[in-house]
Amino acid sequence: MVTAGVTSCTIGAGTLGSFEDRKFQVSIEEMLVAMNSLESHKIPEKWKPTAASIEGTYGFFENTNFYLKGSPEEMYFVSYQGNSRVTVMSIRSVFKNGKWFIENDLAEDERERIENRFDREIIAKLEKLTNSKATRDE
């Protein structure tokens, strides 16, 4: 289950290092309901220790992991924050081939592949569930 209680006037990744922000014009409460309903992206048992190993890395942000089955099998560590009007989320790290990678560890084409997959497999579903369109901020 995903939970949060963050409120802020300025919401975004800032200088912490992340992939591009996705901004939704929905409350954090609505987003949490949507994120919790993504059953197909729940972490499988075999990856739960790996998911737990990165939790708390960005202790001042709420975070969650999304599992992506298929080729390549990956897990995205995503931070998010929001308030009563907006929710922003961003990939912080990607687990693939037995290792965590941050954005700067990856070649440009690999970063774009990950961003596009995130949009297709996670963001598009959240847009549908929240009846909103996310904007992608660099």
Side-chain angles (χ1 to χ4, degrees), residues 47 72-75 94-101 106 110 113-114:
W47 284 32
E73 184 179 34
E74 299 174 313
M75 182 166 42
V94 176
F95 185 79
K96 63 180 191 152
N97 301 325
K99 183 179 174 188
W100 285 106
F101 295 89
L106 303 166
E110 181 66 356
R113 181 197 64 77
I114 290 166

Side-chain angles (χ1 to χ4, degrees), residues 17 20 44 74 78 91 120 131:
E20 295 175 13
E74 299 174 313
V78 175
I91 300 170
R120 271 190 332 272
N131 195 30

Side-chain angles (χ1 to χ4, degrees), residues 8-9 11 21-32 81-89 123 126-137:
S8 176
C9 294
I11 299 176
D21 286 351
R22 288 355 180 251
K23 184 185 253 183
F24 291 83
Q25 298 299 320
V26 299
S27 72
I28 189 70
E29 292 81 13
E30 291 175 80
M31 184 56 68
L32 292 172
Q81 57 182 330
N83 57 34
S84 62
R85 298 178 316 275
V86 65
T87 302
V88 177
M89 65 178 55
I123 299 301
L126 293 173
E127 288 174 333
K128 188 172 187 176
L129 290 166
T130 61
N131 195 30
S132 66
K133 179 73 177 151
T135 56
R136 185 169 162 176
D137 299 325

Side-chain angles (χ1 to χ4, degrees), residues 15 21 25 31 33 41-42 50 55 58 61 63-64 75 77 84 88 90 93 113 116 118-120 126 129-131 133:
T15 59
D21 286 351
Q25 298 299 320
M31 184 56 68
V33 169
H41 296 289
K42 301 282 184 196
T50 302
E55 290 176 7
Y58 294 91
F61 281 132
N63 56 67
T64 192
M75 182 166 42
F77 177 70
S84 62
V88 177
S90 180
S93 191
R113 181 197 64 77
N116 290 335
F118 186 54
D119 285 340
R120 271 190 332 272
L126 293 173
L129 290 166
T130 61
N131 195 30
K133 179 73 177 151

